Amino acid sequence: MKKLFSLALVLCFLLSLAMVPAAAADPAEGRTNVALGAVLAGGKESGGYWFLGVNGSNNITEGGRSHDHNTASTFLNLKARATAEEIREDLAFLYNVEGQYADDGKYYGIMGYQLLEAATVDSFAIYLDEVIDGVPCIHMLDGVDIAVSETGEDGTWKVVGSFTNIQCEKKYQVYTDEEGNSTAYVSGSFEPMKVGYFRICVSMPSCLHLAEPLDDENVRWCRLTEVELYAAKDAAPATTAAPATTAAPATTAAPATTAAPATTAAPATTAAPAQTPSTADIMPIACIALMLAAAACFMLRRKFN
């Protein structure tokens, strides 16, 4: 009997360790990335970007999260119009979110894209530069905003995420793929809204406070690996609501007795139940249960001793 309890104790302990959920979660959380295939789209005087140099504009919407500095097709290179001196001394003319030089401008450059199809979005992730031995490469941008719009017209842009001192203060997370390639990223969420266009607005190309300062040319460059926009997880499609056109027009209104009874409305149970647990929800509970079982086995063993 003692051996049986000892074996049960060991098994419960090992299972409880195996069930501990991973600390880092996928930013997508299983949702659709609607930015896939997005194409360059800019204002009246731009082909989709406000930079002096752009190499690999389609790379950030093709679905590759992992950055490889040896393979140029895995990232987008950007060169600011401002000189290194203007950047260091904070003397550059800067763009506003509309892509126009302005006194209140804050961006050294902007990349603008149009989604293949407008969608209701509530979160995003921006994958930056490669991380090697825990240290990001020198071309990881240090400040960025993401702005979205349904129509892409001036006056409709909304900044839904803003990040500063990303590399200087290590305000990034790290994504590691199955092959061990690591890429820095930032992510965020916002109130669900209809999005047809998005802009990546660079507020600081590179960190100016590295232990080994960048030379004049490298100060002007930064890199992006991928941008993902996620379809809102709780947004019910508009087509599920009873369309207004089903109501009888006023001129041909049927008598009140012919009105469709209230019971014909789609019952609330047709919506995806919020209480349906995901694997991530269940794992902590299972972990706790196994740990309690292990503790119980330990107490029983002591009792029988």
Side-chain angles (χ1 to χ4, degrees):
M1 181 64 72
K2 291 182 179 180
K3 291 183 178 180
L4 179 62
F5 281 121
S6 296
L7 179 61
L9 175 61
V10 171
L11 287 175
C12 287
F13 178 73
L14 292 176
L15 284 173
S16 67
L17 290 177
M19 291 295 288
V20 174
D26 186 334
E29 297 180 354
R31 286 175 287 159
T32 302
N33 170 22
V34 299
L36 281 174
V39 295
L40 279 177
K44 297 176 182 178
E45 300 178 1
S46 172
Y49 60 89
W50 289 258
F51 281 95
L52 180 62
V54 174
N55 299 321
S57 61
N58 64 320
N59 292 340
I60 68 171
T61 60
E62 63 180 9
R65 290 176 168 181
S66 297
H67 177 107
D68 181 353
H69 70 281
N70 294 311
T71 307
S73 63
T74 64
F75 55 84
L76 162 66
N77 263 335
L78 302 172
K79 184 178 183 179
R81 294 184 182 276
T83 67
E85 181 181 2
E86 288 173 335
I87 294 173
R88 287 196 174 99
E89 302 297 329
D90 194 19
L91 299 174
F93 290 106
L94 302 178
Y95 300 103
N96 60 20
V97 72
E98 313 290 352
Q100 302 165 349
Y101 284 125
D103 291 339
D104 61 347
K106 61 179 292 191
Y107 307 121
Y108 286 93
I110 297 171
M111 293 296 296
Y113 291 84
Q114 179 179 3
L115 302 183
L116 295 182
E117 184 176 354
T120 300
V121 176
D122 70 354
S123 53
F124 64 89
I126 306 172
Y127 291 82
L128 306 171
D129 206 353
E130 186 177 22
V131 176
I132 300 177
D133 295 331
V135 180
C137 292
I138 62 173
H139 289 304
M140 190 171 86
L141 61 81
D142 201 45
V144 65
D145 289 2
I146 185 166
V148 296
S149 167
E150 181 176 357
T151 64
E153 297 294 326
D154 289 351
T156 66
W157 291 97
K158 180 179 180 181
V159 174
V160 294
S162 184
F163 305 89
T164 59
N165 300 322
I166 298 172
Q167 183 170 3
C168 286
E169 299 180 7
K170 298 182 179 180
K171 295 179 179 179
Y172 55 84
Q173 299 182 52
V174 177
Y175 165 76
T176 302
D177 65 18
E178 295 178 352
E179 298 179 358
N181 301 308
S182 296
T183 305
Y185 75 92
V186 293
S187 61
S189 59
F190 51 94
E191 289 297 317
M193 63 179 292
K194 192 72 169 291
V195 174
Y197 298 78
F198 69 89
R199 286 180 176 176
I200 303 300
C201 309
V202 176
S203 57
M204 180 54 67
S206 302
C207 177
L208 301 178
H209 308 101
L210 297 175
E212 296 183 11
L214 300 177
D215 59 35
D216 286 354
E217 187 66 11
N218 283 326
V219 163
R220 305 173 69 186
W221 285 94
C222 60
R223 289 174 179 166
L224 292 169
T225 298
E226 189 75 6
V227 176
E228 298 181 349
L229 298 178
Y230 306 124
K233 55 184 176 182
D234 296 325
T239 53
T240 59
T245 53
T246 58
T251 54
T252 59
T257 54
T258 63
T263 54
T264 60
T269 53
T270 58
Q275 67 270 23
T276 301
S278 64
T279 303
D281 296 326
I282 295 173
M283 288 180 68
I285 299 174
C287 179
I288 293 172
L290 285 170
M291 293 179 71
L292 289 174
C297 289
F298 178 75
M299 295 300 294
L300 286 172
R301 182 186 176 192
R302 293 190 59 182
K303 178 178 180 181
F304 279 91
N305 284 341

